[in-house]
Amino acid sequence: MERDAYSPVGGYGVWSLYYDTPQLRFYWEKIEGLKFRRKLRIRHYGDLDGVTDASPVCVEVKQRVNRVTQKRRITLPYGVARQLCDGRELVPHSVRERAFVEEVLELVVRLNLRPAAITGYQREALVGPGCGHGACGSRWIGGCVAGTATSTSVPRGRRTGSRSRRIWRSWRSRSTSVLRTGSPTWPRGAT
């Protein structure tokens, strides 16, 4: 496989703002390996330095049903995406996007979702024989967890085997250097 000619040398940034419940329901569903689980995120592709409220981002619902992963998303300006996910407001959308916007709003309100973690990494698109006209793979170049959960220990009442405790400690240790504002946000100055 080779680097896709349309992919910048050195790759491009992929930044995700993940939403979760105050009890970290989505996180625990992943750790516990539930066959049906989903998560909500806002994703930005590119450099974070120039992100403004007008910058395009993707609002995504990613879900897993048994061994099949599905992603649904729409592109919105960053400020509008935060208005939907943080402000819990119905935002302007097309007829085609209506069901998705309503699903996101219902999830955010019903589960009391709030920003929980930010991740970022560099991705380089790859192509190879049989890929057709699009990228058929990618290479992770480097990244970090740049967000924080609201708790620094395993929540009470959870069954935690050694694997769960190890993953929680690893995630927590990578998250502790970030300011604990309770509402992670990417760019300075954007709302």
Side-chain angles (χ1 to χ4, degrees):
M1 307 248 320
E2 327 179 330
R3 185 179 64 81
D4 185 335
Y6 297 103
S7 179
V9 175
Y12 54 90
V14 179
W15 298 91
S16 299
L17 173 60
Y18 287 90
Y19 286 76
D20 209 335
T21 67
Q23 299 77 30
L24 303 177
R25 173 183 173 166
F26 295 159
Y27 169 81
W28 285 108
E29 287 176 352
K30 167 71 174 166
I31 295 302
E32 293 168 0
L34 294 187
K35 292 186 182 210
F36 175 80
R37 60 184 184 259
R38 61 182 159 183
K39 58 184 154 191
L40 172 67
R41 67 185 174 205
I42 296 176
R43 180 165 270 189
H44 170 71
Y45 296 93
D47 191 3
L48 284 185
D49 289 338
V51 174
T52 67
D53 282 348
S55 298
V57 296
C58 296
V59 176
E60 298 181 348
V61 172
K62 183 176 178 181
Q63 70 183 29
R64 184 173 175 107
V65 180
N66 293 319
R67 293 180 178 207
V68 178
T69 301
Q70 306 164 333
K71 265 196 267 192
R72 295 180 319 280
R73 69 182 181 180
I74 60 170
T75 301
L76 295 171
Y78 178 61
V80 175
R82 293 295 298 260
Q83 184 181 350
L84 172 63
C85 298
D86 294 355
R88 302 168 186 223
E89 300 173 27
L90 192 59
V91 297
H93 58 277
S94 70
V95 173
R96 193 178 110 258
E97 298 168 333
R98 180 181 185 146
F100 180 80
V101 169
E102 289 177 351
E103 177 187 359
V104 168
L105 190 56
E106 188 271 337
L107 267 175
V108 169
V109 171
R110 182 172 52 85
L111 297 177
N112 191 25
L113 300 182
R114 47 187 74 171
I118 300 171
T119 63
Y121 61 95
Q122 287 292 113
R123 176 189 289 165
E124 189 170 55
L126 304 173
V127 293
C131 287
H133 297 297
C136 66
S138 63
R139 176 173 40 209
W140 180 82
I141 298 171
C144 65
V145 172
T148 182
T150 56
S151 173
T152 57
S153 61
V154 176
R156 291 180 187 197
R158 284 287 177 181
R159 288 191 179 137
T160 55
S162 62
R163 179 173 182 263
S164 294
R165 281 192 301 272
R166 189 173 59 251
I167 292 170
W168 176 265
R169 285 187 198 117
S170 170
W171 184 86
R172 186 187 70 202
S173 69
R174 287 180 283 155
S175 302
T176 55
S177 63
V178 175
L179 294 175
R180 293 174 178 272
T181 63
S183 182
T185 188
W186 293 326
R188 296 173 290 279
T191 56

